[in-house]
Amino acid sequence: TITINGRPGSQDAGSGGSGNCDLALQATPGSRALILVTMSTGTTDQACQLARSIANTIAPKLPPLAR
């Protein structure tokens, strides 16, 4: 479990092989924004760093979370 800009999410590192990272970020209750990174050259850690960077960029553009 991870949190990006106050949004709950999950990260699956390397499930598709080396250099892959999938990140799901709550957009609204019941929906997710998915970020899937596959690197042809690079490590799983690098893929997850890129996925988190993208998540930090798009999180403020998502609808506000219900409180």
Side-chain angles (χ1 to χ4, degrees):
T1 303
I2 61 169
T3 302
I4 304 282
N5 284 357
R7 290 179 182 273
S10 62
Q11 179 178 295
D12 188 5
S15 66
S18 180
N20 291 332
C21 189
D22 301 343
L23 192 146
L25 192 60
Q26 183 178 357
T28 64
S31 70
R32 303 277 182 262
L34 301 176
I35 301 152
L36 311 174
V37 175
T38 301
M39 301 183 79
S40 57
T41 58
T43 66
T44 298
D45 286 341
Q46 289 171 323
C48 288
Q49 287 175 354
L50 179 56
R52 286 190 300 273
S53 175
I54 294 167
N56 277 305
T57 300
I58 68 166
K61 297 170 179 20
L62 296 173
L65 289 175
R67 299 272 175 201

